[in-house]
């Protein structure tokens, strides 16, 4: 869909580097999401656009284009990234709507769709680096789509180092600053499954981000599995949450 003139609507999300709003195309009336940041602080958003614009998958949120415009009382310039709108919100929102946890068939369906999205990203040489419920969106058809590639890195680019992601979803090798490849996304998927099963983080007793990084990096612990999950579900989690990425 080509975005020409458009009108900004209500804010639907805020992150550390950008704000997400609803928007409407003036010519067609189509609704989409726009993620914006001040132009001088938009390097992460521009990088996300470059990665997303090369991707085409039903399991990854689509990039619809971008522009640079002024808005607000300051009249400053903003970088605007146009994205497919997911009316049901994030997977974390969906968990809340279902009373704080999902049943195992739903967890299995969402996990399968996340894995299909991750497999596609890896086929394109991209690691997500921040898999979690907030970064998975649910479309009007109920299917999950991976979103927010602000932390993503190219597998072949060794110069794209640095700690990326959310501490309580980080894999041990990431928390130690060693590497961040596809195995780290699989660990984060395991933490996301625990989020779907409990409505909370994989490390509920660790509130401080620095403490979380230290525990993930240097303790022998793995997150606790929900007791009500089936044997098959626990076996799958045990395969995701292996401390050795190899």
């Amino acid at each position: 869909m080509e975005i020409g003139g458009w009108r900004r609507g209500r804010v639907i999300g805020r992150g550390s580097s950008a704000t997400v709003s609803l928007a409407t195309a003036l010519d067609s009336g189509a609704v989409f999401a726009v993620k914006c940041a001040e132009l001088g602080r938009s390097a992460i958003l521009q990088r996300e656009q470059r990665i997303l614009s090369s991707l085409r998958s039903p399991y990854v949120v689509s990039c619809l284009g971008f522009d640079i415009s002024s808005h607000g009382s300051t009249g400053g310039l903003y970088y605007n990234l146009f994205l497919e709108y997911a009316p049901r919100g994030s997977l974390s929102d969906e968990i809340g709507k279902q009373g704080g946890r999902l049943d195992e068939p739903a967890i299995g369906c969402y996990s399968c769709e996340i894995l299909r999205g991750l497999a596609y990203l890896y086929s394109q040489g991209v690691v997500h680096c921040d898999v979690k419920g907030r970064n998975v969106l649910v479309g009007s058809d109920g299917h999950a789509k991976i979103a927010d590639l602000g932390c993503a890195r190219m597998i072949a680019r060794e110069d794209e180092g640095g700690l990326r992601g959310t501490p309580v979803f980080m894999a041990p090798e990431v928390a130690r600053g060693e590497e961040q490849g596809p195995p780290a996304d699989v660990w984060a998927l395991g933490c996301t499954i625990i989020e779907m099963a409990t409505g909370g983080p994989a490390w509920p007793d660790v509130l401080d981000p620095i403490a979380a990084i230290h525990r993930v990096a240097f303790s022998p612990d793995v997150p606790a599995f929900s007791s009500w999950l089936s044997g098959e579900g626990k076996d799958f989690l045990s395969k995701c949450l292996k401390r050795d990425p190899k």
Side-chain angles (χ1 to χ4, degrees):
M1 157 174 109
E2 288 290 327
I3 305 293
W6 57 281
R7 180 184 299 112
R8 192 182 310 273
R10 63 183 175 86
V11 172
I12 56 175
R14 295 184 190 275
S16 58
S17 60
T19 299
V20 183
S21 303
L22 276 179
T24 305
L26 296 180
D27 55 353
S28 66
V31 175
F32 58 98
V34 59
K35 192 173 184 179
C36 74
E38 292 180 37
L39 185 59
R41 302 178 179 179
S42 64
I44 292 174
L45 198 55
Q46 292 188 45
R47 192 168 155 280
E48 182 176 7
Q49 187 275 330
R50 289 193 296 273
I51 293 174
L52 272 177
S53 64
S54 68
L55 305 177
R56 297 287 184 276
S57 169
Y59 303 105
V60 178
V61 166
S62 299
C63 173
L64 307 176
F66 72 95
D67 74 7
I68 297 171
S69 64
S70 62
H71 71 86
S73 57
T74 63
L77 290 177
Y78 285 77
Y79 187 92
N80 304 296
L81 176 59
F82 307 139
L83 299 166
E84 174 185 4
Y85 173 53
R88 287 173 59 169
S90 71
L91 182 54
S92 293
D93 295 331
E94 194 70 13
I95 295 166
K97 292 172 192 172
Q98 300 302 321
R101 78 177 194 188
L102 304 180
D103 61 28
E104 190 158 331
I107 293 172
C109 286
Y110 286 132
S111 298
C112 181
E113 290 167 346
I114 294 169
L115 281 166
R116 289 181 184 276
L118 290 175
Y120 172 75
L121 290 181
Y122 304 151
S123 76
Q124 303 302 302
V126 177
V127 184
H128 188 277
C129 299
D130 198 19
V131 176
K132 59 182 179 180
R134 283 281 166 212
N135 289 343
V136 176
L137 300 182
V138 182
S140 56
D141 58 2
H143 292 296
K145 293 174 178 277
I146 294 174
D148 199 337
L149 273 72
C151 289
R153 60 178 292 270
M154 305 304 294
I155 295 173
R157 293 280 298 274
E158 294 184 2
D159 59 332
E160 292 192 331
L163 207 60
R164 301 180 184 212
T166 305
V168 293
F169 290 85
M170 278 182 184
E173 68 274 14
V174 178
R176 290 192 296 268
E178 296 171 355
E179 59 182 304
Q180 191 161 19
D185 282 348
V186 174
W187 174 284
L189 172 63
C191 295
T192 303
I193 290 171
I194 291 174
E195 181 187 0
M196 287 190 273
T198 66
W203 304 97
D205 55 335
V206 182
L207 302 179
D208 178 70
I210 301 300
I213 290 173
H214 190 272
R215 181 171 179 185
V216 172
F218 302 113
S219 81
D221 301 342
V222 296
F225 300 175
S226 298
S227 59
W228 63 269
L229 287 174
S230 68
E232 185 179 24
K234 292 174 182 175
D235 179 67
F236 185 85
L237 263 180
S238 74
K239 290 177 168 61
C240 293
L241 297 172
K242 289 190 178 295
R243 293 190 63 88
D244 182 353
K246 295 178 175 56

